[in-house]
Amino acid sequence: METKLRQREGGERNRMRLWAAQEPGPARAAGQPQPRCAARGAPAAPQAAVGGREARGHRLPAGGRAGRRPLRPAGALAGGGGGRSRRPGSGGRAARGRGGRGGVKRRLLPFLCCAAASSHPPLPGRGESCAGSGEAAAPSSRPAMAIRKKSNKNPPVLSHEFIVQNHADIVSCMAMIFLLGLMFEITAKAAVIFVTLQYNVTIPATEEQSAETISLYHYGIKDLATIFFYMLVAIIIHAIIQEYVLDKINRKMHFSKTKHSKFNESGQLSAFYLFSCVWGTSILVSENYISDPTSLWRDYPHTLIPFQMKFFYILQLAYWFHAFPELYFQKTKKEDIFRQIVYIGLYLFHIAGAYLLNLTHLGLVLLVLHYFVEFLFHISRLFYFSDERYQKGFSLWAVLFVLGRLLTLILSVLTFGFGLARAENQQLNFSTGNFNILAVRISVLASICLAQAFMMWKFINFQLRRWREHSSSQPQSVKKKFVTAKGKTSRKERENGINGTVTSNGADSPRSRKDKSS
């Protein structure tokens, strides 16, 4: 056996010398030190020892024969276990004996130690030089290890994420431009259009009035500039409420994504409805619209309105116009966008209609009534999200919702069917703002009735869905209680049989063993 191993090792040495003679490596200068491997200090094997080709990532130095196909990895020769190369001229035959013996291992040891010295051993033909060889390595075709970049939290400027995150600051800068314009005489005239109300009319004092003069307002095209400015203010206030109130509550409550969006919607709308209800009620009380219902249609057209009422309508339009960009800023889901657009469009249509048709008195009463019912719904939903056992608010809202719809229809029919229908002046006149004609009255009344019918249809569907969910969940809970009560049997029942009675078939006693018949 030993004789065969020695013969095999001798054959390997002869083949290696043959390969070295066929493809000699580059001649070294006289006296030039032989490169040593940095891993173990052993002299590096010349490239010609493996036929002038690259092995385990070692590239030929300048002047050698480059561009040849690399040999198989050194592990395939040293520890391969009997593999053969395809051609003796391009790598020769591998050792048939067991790896780790003979001269093959001694000659490939420098390559193995170089591979072990590197943190990640190079693959064949990658063009990396042996460490400490003193020779410049050729540029490697393998890309360098990618360095993990630090995550940049700040998105690119003017990107979608940047605008969404910083939209409040951007809008604040836009609003400050109009405010700074008031400080300079050149831009003051243009900035005043955006900041203050336009189209004021001063009425001189009379003997009946104690005040000297009264300032009233009517509408015009410049109101669009004022609406735009206060739309920016509404976006800023929306962001303040979201960041400093709602987001802090969301962090504490840990809502799901669905509840998170609904909680934000109810939080924003409840704040707006509360503010509008308080302000609108104060206007109704100060103008005596509640004590005198005939003021809803008396002295029509109501072209001149006080400052508080015009400012109320300007802010209402500005708030509902600001809801459109908020769909983008709040990243509203695609399935909810259509519902939100219909919701916002109905508000804008009716508020703008009351403002342009000089029906501001009736519009103010109906808005306060509607906002109070909606405020009760959203505040009940906020309490429900904090504690799901809270259901009393929804019951109260359901009653007031139906009463609010009936009262809205009664006031509308009373105003258009009796009040304006009996007015003396029933001619269409755009200069005086008189729209009291039969076609306008029927159109406005029909739009109000359709809006109330649409809301009642949504309300009935909502209540039916809640009733079905409640009825479907109740039998399951009763069934679970029945199963648990039936599954738990007392010790006495287990001793005495089923339900405390002993069965006649002897099921309560252990079964007697049968005697084995011989």
Side-chain angles (χ1 to χ4, degrees), residues 41 53 58 236 257 303 438 449 458 480:
R53 286 170 166 73
H58 295 276
I236 297 170
K257 290 184 178 180
T303 54
L438 181 61
C449 293
K458 299 286 288 183
K480 288 181 180 179

Side-chain angles (χ1 to χ4, degrees), residues 227-268:
I227 292 173
F228 175 75
F229 174 77
Y230 286 101
M231 183 187 71
L232 301 180
V233 176
I235 294 175
I236 297 170
I237 296 175
H238 187 111
I240 292 173
I241 295 174
Q242 182 68 39
E243 183 175 358
Y244 293 99
V245 180
L246 299 179
D247 286 347
K248 291 184 178 180
I249 298 176
N250 285 326
R251 295 191 194 100
K252 293 181 180 179
M253 302 302 294
H254 303 288
F255 292 128
S256 61
K257 290 184 178 180
T258 305
K259 285 187 177 181
H260 181 81
S261 60
K262 291 183 178 180
F263 181 84
N264 291 337
E265 179 185 358
S266 296
Q268 295 287 347

Side-chain angles (χ1 to χ4, degrees), residues 37-40 111-120 131:
C37 180
R40 299 183 57 167
F111 297 100
L112 294 175
C113 82
C114 289
S118 59
S119 59
H120 50 88

Side-chain angles (χ1 to χ4, degrees), residues 50 52-55 66-72 86-87 90-91 125:
V50 290
R53 286 170 166 73
E54 300 174 271
R68 292 183 176 272
R69 186 172 57 187
L71 284 175
R72 297 175 63 186
R86 296 180 180 177
R87 232 179 11 177
S90 61

